[in-house]
Amino acid sequence: MELKKLIQTDRQYYMNVFGDRFPVEFVRGKGAYLWDSTGKKYCDFLAGIAVNLFGYSDSGLVQTIQNQAANMLHTSNYFYVAPQAKAAKLLCKLSGMDKVFFSNSGAEAMEGAIKLARKYFYDKGQEKYEFITMKQSFHGRTLATLSATGQQHFQAPYHPLVPAFIHVPFNDLSAARDAVTKKTAGIIVEPIQGEGGVVPATSEFLQGIRDLCDEKGLLMIADEIQSGMGRTGTFLACQGYGVQPDIVTLAKALGGGIPIGAFAAKDSVAQAFAPSDHGSTFGGNHLATAAAEYVLTRIDQSDILNRVQQTGAYFQSSLEKLADQFPGQISGTRGKGLMQSLQLNGDIPAKKMLGKLLDRGFVVGSAGGNSLRFLPPYIVAEDQIDALYTCIADILKEIG
Ligand SMILES: *Cc1c(COP(=O)(O)O)cnc(C)c1O
């Protein structure tokens, strides 16, 4: 289908929640490169929003999916599923957790985490069902995860929301402490806020949340749907802070591009779920968990997380150099590993920068406020980072 026709058909038949998309259709990818339907080549610094961790057409992942599809796509969770068990074991090993449940998306993983925390206190006969969550957070688009999300513009049309989510400012430990009541079940936190603008928690804050949960008998729920799976250089971003949550959620990169999410917990919490307390038709099926098993095995057995640390440090210093060079147009940089951002000065809209970068063959994202967000595949190379640097510098010189 020709691009013009595609855009027309999309406008006519697809619900308009994505507004005017960038007028590009990507049809092929290899490594960190993408090609659009006109044959134009791009370097990818978005990875499908932190999904395609090994880039495009990774031969091992493609082989795994093809083999699994040829043998078995799906049975049902009435029966045992080998890749599900193997992926669960690997996920526990890498995350330091004891038990896992696989969902189809990040929002569903968060829903499961919320239900597990409520069930945990229900079993204890304690009336604790409230959650403290952070302003500027993002936890998903279902009604409960939308209610957990600390951004009113997402919530406004959907009232009444699910009650019992209390929002406090991020990185403000005393506000979190003050919000604890007799009804509090847990604190939900992204160690690095993604959609909110790539804002890392301070060490004092994240450790303080852990300590507060221990002191008050609350569950710490880390939403690592974006920051997890090695993106910041440790399997969980929390591990980089030396903090172990009670429940963690993952999704985005977990299947390398196949839709799958997960929540994992320590045994003491996970045992709250008994038969029929939770479930899913598709969640954890053969195809999705075969992909996750492949991704997790590769993270476990290769040095890819070292690579993320090294390339991430190089990328960060390159962005800091840009900020030094263009103090009038860039107000700062934030991030960790390969989850990075540049804060643009108010009069350069991020969307305009994204369009200019796309014209010149770079795929970049945006996030909260006015930030460019960079989530490249873990295989991104230093010369690709150098090329991006030059491209951003050229654009800033032009519009400066
Ligand atoms: C993307 C994201 C979600 C939602 O995941 P979906 O798969 O889109 O449902 C939740 N939390 C965080 C931190 C995310 O980045």
Side-chain angles (χ1 to χ4, degrees):
M1 195 183 277
E2 205 194 317
L3 183 60
K4 244 174 83 184
K5 186 82 196 298
L6 167 59
I7 292 171
Q8 262 172 22
T9 310
D10 176 86
R11 288 214 174 121
Q12 186 168 354
Y13 293 106
Y14 205 80
M15 294 194 191
N16 186 31
V17 294
F18 302 115
D20 277 330
R21 310 182 202 223
F22 292 104
V24 175
E25 183 207 0
F26 292 118
V27 291
R28 191 163 67 83
K30 184 75 199 160
Y33 292 109
L34 281 162
W35 284 266
D36 73 12
S37 52
T38 70
K40 182 176 163 185
K41 185 180 176 185
Y42 301 77
C43 189
D44 179 31
F45 279 81
L46 185 59
I49 318 186
V51 170
N52 308 312
L53 74 170
F54 302 138
Y56 298 87
S57 306
D58 176 80
S59 59
L61 181 60
V62 170
Q63 267 297 311
T64 301
I65 294 166
Q66 284 178 339
N67 291 344
Q68 189 59 56
N71 285 323
M72 178 59 70
L73 286 175
H74 177 95
T75 53
S76 111
N77 284 310
Y78 292 159
F79 307 100
Y80 290 96
V81 179
Q84 185 183 93
K86 290 194 268 182
K89 183 178 175 185
L90 278 162
L91 187 46
C92 286
K93 178 184 174 191
L94 288 163
S95 65
M97 292 299 190
D98 298 319
K99 281 197 169 56
V100 173
F101 183 90
F102 289 115
S103 63
N104 306 293
S105 66
E108 270 179 89
M110 282 306 301
E111 289 272 344
I114 291 163
K115 283 176 67 181
L116 177 61
R118 285 209 174 151
K119 181 72 186 347
Y120 173 82
F121 289 107
Y122 175 87
D123 284 353
K124 288 180 182 294
Q126 294 179 19
E127 215 182 291
K128 289 181 185 285
Y129 51 79
E130 271 179 13
F131 294 93
I132 297 169
T133 79
M134 304 303 141
K135 292 192 172 151
Q136 301 308 122
S137 62
F138 183 83
H139 299 298
R141 304 278 191 171
T142 62
L143 206 49
T145 60
L146 189 64
S147 307
T149 290
Q151 303 192 52
Q152 280 173 6
H153 66 105
F154 287 126
Q155 299 173 334
Y158 302 111
H159 286 267
L161 298 174
V162 175
F165 290 95
I166 288 106
H167 303 100
V168 300
F170 188 51
N171 278 333
D172 183 341
L173 192 57
S174 64
R177 175 175 286 277
D178 291 345
V180 176
T181 72
K182 288 202 306 285
K183 312 271 187 218
T184 308
I187 302 180
I188 301 175
V189 61
E190 294 161 87
I192 301 184
Q193 290 189 334
E195 304 306 306
V198 188
V199 189
T202 63
S203 282
E204 302 72 55
F205 180 70
L206 210 65
Q207 185 62 56
I209 292 289
R210 176 67 273 175
D211 295 342
L212 180 60
C213 287
D214 290 339
E215 179 193 325
K216 304 275 186 189
L218 316 177
L219 297 177
M220 177 177 180
I221 303 173
D223 180 346
E224 295 237 23
I225 289 166
Q226 192 162 148
S227 61
M229 297 301 298
R231 176 147 295 275
T232 68
T234 49
F235 182 73
L236 301 180
C238 278
Q239 291 163 337
Y241 287 85
V243 167
Q244 180 71 24
D246 298 299
I247 305 176
V248 66
T249 56
L250 294 164
K252 292 198 161 85
L254 177 55
I258 294 286
I260 179 169
F263 59 101
K266 299 302 274 182
D267 252 333
S268 55
V269 178
Q271 46 87 21
F273 267 175
S276 88
D277 281 340
H278 196 58
S280 174
T281 300
F282 288 126
N285 86 3
H286 291 73
L287 183 70
T289 50
E293 184 194 348
Y294 173 83
V295 168
L296 293 163
T297 302
R298 188 144 147 208
I299 290 177
D300 187 39
Q301 293 182 1
S302 73
D303 65 348
I304 197 154
L305 295 192
N306 287 333
R307 185 175 167 152
V308 171
Q309 287 171 17
Q310 277 160 24
T311 320
Y314 184 83
F315 192 18
Q316 190 166 328
S317 66
S318 148
L319 293 173
E320 282 163 3
K321 234 171 20 178
L322 267 174
D324 287 344
Q325 206 181 333
F326 298 95
Q329 289 150 297
I330 299 174
S331 57
T333 70
R334 285 192 299 255
K336 201 166 182 197
L338 290 176
M339 184 170 180
Q340 295 287 341
S341 68
L342 267 185
Q343 282 70 61
L344 296 173
N345 187 325
D347 34 276
I348 310 175
K351 178 113 196 206
K352 184 174 154 197
M353 269 303 277
L354 296 189
K356 287 186 178 289
L357 282 159
L358 208 53
D359 284 346
R360 292 162 205 231
F362 287 93
V363 183
V364 172
S366 61
N370 201 33
S371 299
L372 296 182
R373 178 168 47 153
F374 306 97
L375 301 161
Y378 301 176
I379 53 156
V380 70
E382 292 187 357
D383 62 331
Q384 292 162 336
I385 291 171
D386 293 344
L388 175 72
Y389 175 96
T390 306
C391 182
I392 296 177
D394 286 349
I395 295 172
L396 290 177
K397 277 180 213 152
E398 263 175 48
I399 58 183

